[in-house]
Amino acid sequence: MNGRFITLDGGEGVGKTTQLAHIRAWCSANHIEACFGREPGGTPFGEQLRAILLDPATHADPISELLLILAARRAHLEQTILPCLARGAWYISDRYRDATYAYQHYGRGIPAATIATLEQASGTDRVPDLSLILGSSSSTARDRLSGRGQSADRFENENSDFHARVAAGYRARATAPHARWIDAEGDPDTVFARIRPHLEALLP
């Protein structure tokens, strides 16, 4: 079976973690070897950068933030994603390039051309086979975040205008040929029922 690269993306509180558990169970039921990771993260080096990026005490300008994200992504690709795909397994990443354009382009205002140039230079411009982009109302996202019972991270602490720009960015990214917009309103089983057909389409 050919390796498949799938990304699950969306703003804060859209339910990605819950849906990743559903995808993991679906892969197991279909006897698919699957690897899972997250961004920023996916490697020990990436997890160190993740801690810096999410720390509310971190004060980084947008370009510095972007460079840290791309450094983590390069390690993620080279050390984890590509080896997994090379042996024919599927790789599912919690966030990937769509997040960079949604947060750093739409949210922070970095020109898309700048991001694209840095991606190309760093070898982090690989396109996934399928990008699942989850979207929900701001009220649903807030309710889900409040139910976590944990302190907000650096991105979650951004104001509502920032998150509105990020949401618009995800809507725009969902128009790409490899991307699919997933309505994340409703209970987890209902949301996964919207995801399943897109996974099934990747089966041989």
Side-chain angles (χ1 to χ4, degrees):
M1 182 181 292
N2 293 329
R4 300 290 191 179
F5 182 21
I6 302 164
T7 62
L8 191 66
D9 236 303
E12 313 300 328
V14 295
K16 290 185 292 83
T17 301
T18 300
Q19 292 309 313
L20 282 166
H22 278 278
I23 293 172
R24 188 184 294 273
W26 180 88
C27 287
S28 178
N30 285 277
H31 308 290
I32 296 169
E33 181 188 357
C35 310
F36 291 79
R38 65 180 181 178
E39 290 208 350
T43 66
F45 173 67
E47 291 296 326
Q48 290 178 311
L49 294 182
R50 179 187 180 88
I52 294 170
L53 285 160
L54 299 190
D55 188 346
T58 295
H59 299 286
D61 64 85
I63 292 293
S64 295
E65 178 182 276
L66 172 62
L67 292 172
L68 289 175
I69 289 167
L70 294 181
R73 179 165 303 143
R74 179 173 174 81
H76 192 198
L77 277 164
E78 294 296 324
Q79 298 175 28
T80 310
I81 297 173
L82 296 180
C84 178
L85 297 175
R87 68 172 186 266
W90 289 27
Y91 197 94
I92 295 91
S93 180
D94 178 350
R95 291 211 170 107
Y96 186 60
R97 292 178 66 218
D98 295 308
T100 306
Y101 284 89
Y103 281 83
Q104 279 68 53
H105 171 46
Y106 284 86
R108 301 293 193 209
I110 298 174
T114 299
I115 297 175
T117 297
L118 290 172
E119 283 183 321
Q120 186 175 25
S122 60
T124 57
D125 55 349
R126 184 183 176 110
V127 177
D129 297 296
L130 174 66
S131 294
L132 298 165
I133 300 179
L134 276 61
S136 66
S137 68
S138 57
S139 59
T140 296
R142 282 196 302 270
D143 289 344
R144 288 171 176 166
L145 286 172
S146 64
R148 290 181 182 176
Q150 61 188 43
S151 300
D153 66 35
R154 181 166 161 268
F155 290 97
E156 291 168 350
N157 278 332
E158 291 288 349
N159 60 39
S160 59
D161 287 343
F162 175 85
H163 288 295
R165 294 194 300 273
V166 168
Y170 274 124
R171 273 287 189 182
R173 295 291 295 179
T175 63
H178 65 281
R180 302 291 182 269
W181 178 261
I182 305 297
D183 178 2
E185 294 289 339
D187 64 84
D189 288 339
T190 297
V191 176
F192 184 67
R194 298 169 186 147
I195 291 174
R196 186 188 301 112
H198 303 298
L199 299 175
E200 291 171 346
L202 295 178
L203 292 171

